[in-house]
Amino acid sequence: TRDDFPWNKRLVQIFRWKMSNEIKKIFITGGAGYVGAMLVPYLVSKGYEVIVYDLMIYGEDVIDKSPKIKLVRGDIRDQNKMKPLLQECDAVIHLACISNDPSFELNPDLGKSINLDSFEPLVKLSKEVGIKRFIYASSSSVYGVKKEKNVNEEMSLEPLTDYSKFKADCEKILHNYTSNDFVTVVIRPATVCGYSRRQRLDVVVNILSNLAYHKREITVFGGKQLRPNIHISDMIRAYEVLLKASSKIVNKKIYNAGYENFSVLELAEKTKSVIGDDVKLITSPTDDNRSYHVSSKKISDELGFIAKHSIEDAVRDMKNAFEKNLLPNSLDDEIYFNIKRMNSMNLK
């Protein structure tokens, strides 16, 4: 028969190898968070199955039920609970963390235990059970303040806070475990903006949109500081790109992901242009002169990823959500603000 021919046998071997290396099911820590709530249904729409592993402190209703989604309430410090779930999966996207500097500083011990201490055990466990690809969500804040206009992945890391220091530490830890069978890749996102089922209103573009829409007034502290942002729709697409990319290209790589770098004042002006000319812009001095600006050329050149959505798109999405009452009590409800939520729940 034709199956006896060496060439046909070789084709079967190649096909089986591709099937064995295909990523079908993904374990997403923090999958019910701001990015995860939009990433999970997006990946399901692309044919993946997903296990969402999250403390669910912002609710489980941020993700619609689906046969291809398993929602698990769990702590990433609980290795025993994660192990059987990881054994079902081919890849990990690690989003879970105490997000941003103010939230971290609220409880530094909690931040360290979740953002740093739990990381290496998770990586080791993932490798032991046969995970093929581990994608880590780091942060563009690891660069600190740079004078260069285009901060790229080859530049030194000068993190200014424990939050960003631990992000940098985790990058090194992850790459210590890299092998041909355990592909590791780090992404350093700019600040994510735009509408999500699990909305955050404590990040710059979303803050400006909320205040402009409801207060018709924005106060800009300083204004010249640069703040790189990325629309949430682009962010979730970036994770898909990292899942699909050739292992030979992405293994042990680090990629920035952002849109253009704008000053805080420019962000405010763009917000006003979408929300309405009646919005009042007020500037005020500040002691916080941190300025971040990153280049996303590498991810474009190597993986063909280019952010498509503008700051104005993110503000329009926010405006639409406000108009449709998708975000009730957006100025006061703790569900939109990490620090307020963590305070009330007394996380430990």
Side-chain angles (χ1 to χ4, degrees):
T1 65
R2 286 185 176 274
D3 288 337
D4 292 328
F5 286 108
W7 176 243
N8 276 9
K9 286 184 177 181
R10 179 61 179 152
L11 284 175
V12 170
Q13 289 173 348
I14 291 170
F15 176 76
R16 285 176 179 166
W17 180 86
K18 285 185 176 179
M19 289 297 291
S20 67
N21 283 274
E22 184 182 354
I23 294 172
K24 297 179 181 178
K25 195 167 186 177
I26 308 159
F27 184 84
I28 304 182
T29 68
Y34 177 44
V35 172
M38 302 301 278
L39 175 62
V40 169
Y42 177 80
L43 291 178
V44 168
S45 75
K46 298 296 182 178
Y48 296 97
E49 292 182 58
V50 177
I51 294 179
V52 174
Y53 190 82
D54 198 297
L55 284 172
M56 311 287 181
I57 65 173
Y58 300 96
E60 295 183 22
D61 59 349
V62 298
I63 297 174
D64 292 332
K65 291 182 179 179
S66 162
K68 291 191 174 184
I69 300 172
K70 181 188 289 187
L71 290 175
V72 180
R73 185 187 295 270
D75 192 312
I76 59 170
R77 294 168 290 186
D78 187 346
Q79 298 290 301
N80 292 330
K81 190 165 189 175
M82 286 192 292
K83 186 173 182 178
L85 300 169
L86 284 165
Q87 288 172 331
E88 298 180 35
C89 297
D90 309 301
V92 170
I93 300 178
H94 184 46
L95 304 177
C97 69
I98 302 298
S99 298
N100 75 17
D101 296 329
S103 299
F104 187 97
E105 290 161 7
L106 176 68
N107 188 336
D109 290 338
L110 175 68
K112 181 176 183 292
S113 70
I114 290 179
N115 290 18
L116 180 63
D117 296 342
S118 67
F119 184 73
E120 188 164 14
L122 172 60
V123 174
K124 288 175 69 175
L125 181 60
S126 297
K127 186 169 185 177
E128 286 171 9
V129 302
I131 290 293
K132 300 168 187 173
R133 185 166 300 198
F134 193 111
I135 299 169
Y136 174 52
S138 184
S139 168
S140 59
S141 68
V142 296
Y143 295 112
V145 177
K146 298 284 190 186
K147 293 180 180 178
E148 295 86 351
K149 288 186 177 180
N150 292 302
V151 177
N152 63 54
E153 295 84 349
E154 307 307 315
M155 291 183 178
S156 63
L157 304 187
E158 301 174 76
L160 301 175
T161 64
D162 282 345
Y163 167 78
S164 51
K165 286 175 186 175
F166 294 156
K167 285 289 188 183
D169 290 342
C170 288
E171 292 183 8
K172 295 174 186 175
I173 290 168
L174 178 61
H175 285 163
N176 286 338
Y177 287 86
T178 302
S179 67
N180 290 334
D181 297 323
F182 185 64
V183 174
T184 67
V185 58
V186 170
I187 190 163
R188 293 173 179 163
T191 302
V192 183
C193 57
Y195 172 75
S196 169
R197 288 279 298 274
R198 194 261 111 169
Q199 189 62 52
R200 284 188 65 184
L201 294 172
D202 53 3
V203 288
V204 61
V205 171
N206 297 352
I207 293 172
L208 295 171
S209 300
N210 193 22
L211 293 175
Y213 185 85
H214 291 101
K215 296 283 192 179
R216 314 311 291 185
E217 182 176 295
I218 305 173
T219 299
V220 176
F221 295 95
K224 293 183 179 180
Q225 313 98 306
L226 292 174
R227 289 289 183 271
N229 286 267
I230 184 169
H231 192 288
I232 196 165
S233 295
D234 287 320
M235 191 69 250
I236 62 179
R237 195 165 50 86
Y239 286 113
E240 181 194 14
V241 168
L242 295 180
L243 284 170
K244 289 185 172 182
S246 165
S247 297
K248 291 181 179 179
I249 295 176
V250 300
N251 202 10
K252 211 172 182 178
K253 290 287 187 70
I254 297 171
Y255 296 100
N256 294 336
Y259 186 60
E260 297 178 39
N261 298 290
F262 294 111
S263 70
V264 176
L265 182 57
E266 287 174 322
L267 294 174
E269 289 169 343
K270 290 176 181 294
T271 301
K272 176 177 178 174
S273 72
V274 173
I275 301 295
D277 291 337
D278 64 309
V279 174
K280 187 177 180 181
L281 269 181
I282 301 170
T283 58
S284 178
T286 182
D287 293 329
D288 182 4
N289 292 309
R290 290 174 300 163
S291 191
Y292 304 111
H293 34 106
V294 298
S295 166
S296 300
K297 186 175 186 300
K298 181 179 178 182
I299 196 170
S300 171
D301 290 348
E302 294 189 6
L303 304 180
F305 173 81
I306 299 173
K308 298 177 179 178
H309 299 276
S310 67
I311 299 301
E312 288 89 343
D313 290 334
V315 178
R316 274 188 283 271
D317 291 345
M318 296 299 299
K319 182 182 180 184
N320 181 60
F322 295 137
E323 288 174 344
K324 292 184 176 180
N325 201 31
L326 299 177
L327 304 171
N329 305 313
S330 64
L331 292 172
D332 304 307
D333 195 329
E334 68 177 37
I335 203 76
Y336 308 119
F337 304 91
N338 286 5
I339 289 179
K340 290 181 180 179
R341 188 63 165 175
M342 289 170 60
N343 253 333
S344 71
M345 297 199 70
N346 194 27
L347 282 180
K348 294 182 180 178

